[in-house]
Amino acid sequence: MFERIMVPVDLGHAEKLEKALLCAADLAAHYGATAVYVGVTTEQPSAIARTPAEYAKKLAAFAAEQGELRGIATDSKAYASHDPSIDLDPTLLKAVKETEADLVVMASHIPNVADRFWPANGGSIATHADVSVMLVR
């Protein structure tokens, strides 16, 4: 049913993504799909990596680790952005097409008052993506 499952990850908060990572891995194992871990980083040095290339290597290592841990096929794709806080959603929507994902599984936060002013990333992706999106809380 699904062949490529895109899983947006924030390497700075990977420990908070466990439910979404497990859900994506279970779906990938069930359907024999590849889990594609997608990350967006800044073009400036960050706490995660000094360069976009270093970030891409760390994301690839994360994907390989998830593949070994969960027994699934994995891939990764990193994107660099001038300001991920502003263009995260368009970048993730671009990634849906470029990774040829037919499902997106992403972590979502518990709604709060800030969501009245700034839409959540998951809601934005679910609204605009051409594929199914599963938000995991």
Side-chain angles (χ1 to χ4, degrees), residues 108-116 120 137:
S108 178
H109 66 279
I110 295 173
N112 59 42
V113 70
D115 294 326
R116 294 180 186 268
R137 226 175 244 150

Side-chain angles (χ1 to χ4, degrees), residues 17-102:
L17 306 175
E18 184 58 26
K19 288 173 82 175
L21 296 174
L22 183 58
C23 183
D26 284 350
L27 288 167
H30 181 78
Y31 291 109
T34 299
V36 183
Y37 299 92
V38 171
V40 180
T41 186
T42 177
E43 294 181 352
Q44 304 301 317
S46 70
I48 303 297
R50 290 172 284 167
T51 65
E54 183 180 339
Y55 179 85
K57 284 183 180 178
K58 288 186 175 185
L59 183 63
F62 177 82
E65 179 183 297
Q66 290 293 310
E68 271 191 40
L69 177 68
R70 316 228 190 240
I72 58 172
T74 62
D75 196 358
S76 67
K77 185 153 180 69
Y79 291 86
S81 166
H82 289 292
D83 188 352
S85 66
I86 292 175
D87 55 21
L88 180 63
D89 293 347
T91 303
L92 290 177
L93 288 168
K94 177 180 165 185
V96 171
K97 292 188 185 299
E98 290 185 359
T99 62
E100 300 178 351
D102 48 9

